[in-house]
Amino acid sequence: MENNKKIILTGDRPTGKLHIGHYVGSLRRRVELQNSGEFDEINILIADDQALTDNADNPGKIRDNIINVVLDYLSVGLDPNKVTMCVQSQLPALHALTFYYMNLVSTARLSRNPTVKSEIQMRGFADEGLPTGFFTYPISQAADITAFDATVVPVGEDQLPMIEQTREIVEKFNRIYGDTLVLPTAVIPSNASERRLPGVDGKAKMSKSLGNCIFLSDSSKQIKDQVNKKMFTDPQHLKIEDPGHLEGNMVFAYLDAFCNDDHFKEYLPEYANLDELKAHYTRGGLGDGTCKKFLINVLEETLAPIRARRAEWESDIDSVYDIITEGTKKAREKTNATLQRVQSAMRIDYFKDRSIINEWKEVIKQ
Ligand code: TRP
């Protein structure tokens, strides 16, 4: 269906606090999109139902992390007056849409979804048994996206297969039942370090259990310790004079993601920009300590205002509760309307008016 409005829908699973990988990969962009004024609607879904698909035995963890994730949103500067923040489980239309869309997707197609495939490996579901809900979560994500009539879905690179799957469902639905659903487009971050910020130890994934994360809620001291004590640099760069390598060097991966020329003016005026710093490091004669100190300043400048805003919201949890209650109410109206449109397209709106009585009278004559 053509949609003249520009509508964003994106979301996160509330399984833990968000970290700076989430920030450079998506949160920062969401704030920019919010402030661009280009969008008619921005919706952010706290995907607790999706989080339950691999946490069925631990709903308490999901319940607890809803507040952490909302605080992360508010602290990075997402504005509840401009963005609708809502909770997935409280939007029953999403469940109904999922159920209809399931009939449009083959199990073979789901098995080919590369993100689901690797997640199944990571979680050991190949051996223990794969929960059906987990296997089908891309379909529920299609329900999320289409229920809001989203035109734009800003996500991390790993989510591209979900948007692809959604587009297939939209096309198939519209082909079978008539033009009803809006075809969404994914938007992913432009630079490589934004797309996937590695852990401070250089491992591809930032994760709480690996202890290689910097969380948005971390203190100055925690950030300093992660950079000074844990951050992986260049093992061949033993003496300052030695030429340094940028490849696999987390200080530079993080600087790529975070620093701008103003940071140089402020904290390291000997260099105009990151290219100059990199050139010196590669040539030799620049120590890791100098680069780490600069990075700590850059991170601190970025995270200090986020920390301050968090502290304010933390002292007013009642208002945070009201924000997601209101957001969810608004989202419920919107997603219910989409469900009605879908059911009408499928002609399963039997009791909308009494017109089916006439059809049934014809049926019994046959
Ligand atoms: N699968 C997403 C993630 O793991 C979370 C999510 C749920 C989502 N529903 C969504 C993202 C809809 C974008 C649109 O990060």
Side-chain angles (χ1 to χ4, degrees):
M1 197 183 72
E2 269 307 308
N3 191 346
N4 300 326
K5 284 192 169 178
K6 293 172 95 179
I7 299 179
I8 289 181
L9 181 273
T10 186
D12 303 278
R13 297 179 195 176
T15 52
K17 289 183 168 183
L18 302 180
H19 52 61
I20 60 172
H22 295 113
Y23 181 70
V24 294
S26 66
L27 297 172
R28 180 166 66 182
R29 169 75 75 93
R30 292 181 198 173
V31 177
E32 279 168 21
L33 293 169
Q34 161 191 283
N35 295 336
S36 75
E38 267 185 46
F39 290 86
D40 297 292
E41 265 181 39
I42 305 181
N43 303 285
I44 303 189
L45 184 71
I46 301 163
D48 61 333
D49 280 340
Q50 188 178 112
L52 283 169
T53 64
D54 63 336
N55 286 284
D57 55 351
N58 201 358
K61 172 173 139 190
I62 310 306
R63 184 179 166 90
D64 291 349
N65 278 307
I66 290 175
I67 186 65
N68 282 328
V69 169
V70 185
L71 284 170
D72 284 325
Y73 291 163
L74 294 168
S75 63
V76 298
L78 288 169
D79 175 352
N81 294 311
K82 298 184 182 151
V83 169
T84 304
M85 303 178 193
C86 56
V87 179
Q88 187 182 34
S89 60
Q90 309 306 304
L91 306 173
L94 301 184
H95 306 143
L97 290 172
T98 303
F99 205 60
Y100 299 135
Y101 297 168
M102 280 194 184
N103 304 325
L104 306 179
V105 181
S106 72
T107 56
R109 173 65 182 87
L110 279 177
S111 308
R112 282 197 299 274
N113 185 309
T115 302
V116 175
K117 251 187 180 167
S118 72
E119 286 175 334
I120 288 172
Q121 285 309 319
M122 262 159 41
R123 288 164 175 72
F125 287 153
D127 308 318
E128 299 170 6
L130 172 60
T132 309
F134 186 83
F135 182 58
T136 56
Y137 91 72
I139 303 177
S140 118
Q141 193 157 329
D144 302 340
I145 294 167
T146 54
F148 286 87
D149 294 327
T151 52
V152 174
V153 188
V155 280
E157 197 176 23
D158 64 319
Q159 296 295 303
L160 287 177
M162 307 302 157
I163 316 304
E164 199 45 50
Q165 181 89 70
T166 304
R167 291 173 63 91
E168 286 174 30
I169 291 173
V170 167
E171 278 163 355
K172 189 156 185 188
F173 190 100
N174 288 347
R175 190 155 18 89
I176 300 176
Y177 304 110
D179 201 17
T180 312
L181 299 174
V182 177
L183 196 64
T185 310
V187 182
I188 61 169
S190 48
N191 99 32
S193 346
E194 290 178 343
R195 281 201 290 274
R196 184 163 283 283
L197 192 71
V200 293
D201 57 359
K203 292 214 173 79
K205 203 173 152 53
M206 247 198 218
S207 97
K208 187 176 179 170
S209 53
L210 295 172
N212 64 359
C213 280
I214 296 174
F215 290 99
L216 288 172
S217 50
D218 279 355
S219 65
S220 307
K221 164 118 182 30
Q222 284 170 310
I223 294 171
K224 249 190 215 143
D225 284 352
Q226 284 294 58
V227 175
N228 284 332
K229 298 184 187 158
K230 291 221 183 124
M231 190 165 274
F232 188 84
T233 56
D234 172 10
Q236 292 161 357
H237 189 228
L238 299 173
K239 292 191 278 298
I240 290 187
E241 315 81 80
D242 291 339
H245 297 85
L246 304 173
E247 184 91 352
N249 188 324
M250 290 309 110
V251 174
F252 287 93
Y254 280 49
L255 286 174
D256 271 330
F258 281 97
C259 87
N260 57 43
D261 296 355
D262 287 339
H263 290 130
F264 281 95
K265 279 197 202 99
E266 179 79 25
Y267 305 110
L268 204 56
E270 302 90 295
Y271 305 88
N273 54 42
L274 188 54
D275 287 338
E276 286 187 12
L277 189 76
K278 284 178 175 172
H280 192 184
Y281 190 80
T282 322
R283 206 160 61 232
L286 174 60
D288 282 347
T290 307
C291 303
K292 281 190 166 181
K293 191 164 165 227
F294 177 56
L295 175 61
I296 290 169
N297 282 320
V298 169
L299 289 175
E300 189 54 27
E301 184 173 313
T302 311
L303 299 177
I306 295 177
R307 206 181 291 131
R309 235 181 271 119
R310 173 183 291 269
E312 279 174 35
W313 285 110
E314 277 181 350
S315 68
D316 189 9
I317 297 300
D318 282 65
S319 296
V320 180
Y321 175 90
D322 292 340
I323 287 167
I324 49 172
T325 310
E326 278 307 304
T328 303
K329 184 166 167 242
K330 202 168 151 197
R332 199 179 296 126
E333 283 161 20
K334 167 124 201 195
T335 53
N336 282 344
T338 307
L339 176 62
Q340 282 196 4
R341 205 168 77 229
V342 160
Q343 290 185 325
S344 297
M346 296 173 76
R347 305 213 57 221
I348 52 178
D349 51 347
Y350 315 121
F351 304 131
K352 196 167 100 194
D353 52 38
R354 301 178 69 86
S355 63
I356 197 172
I357 293 175
N358 293 328
E359 287 178 45
W360 281 343
K361 285 179 179 167
E362 289 304 315
V363 170
I364 57 173
K365 278 191 212 153
Q366 288 162 15

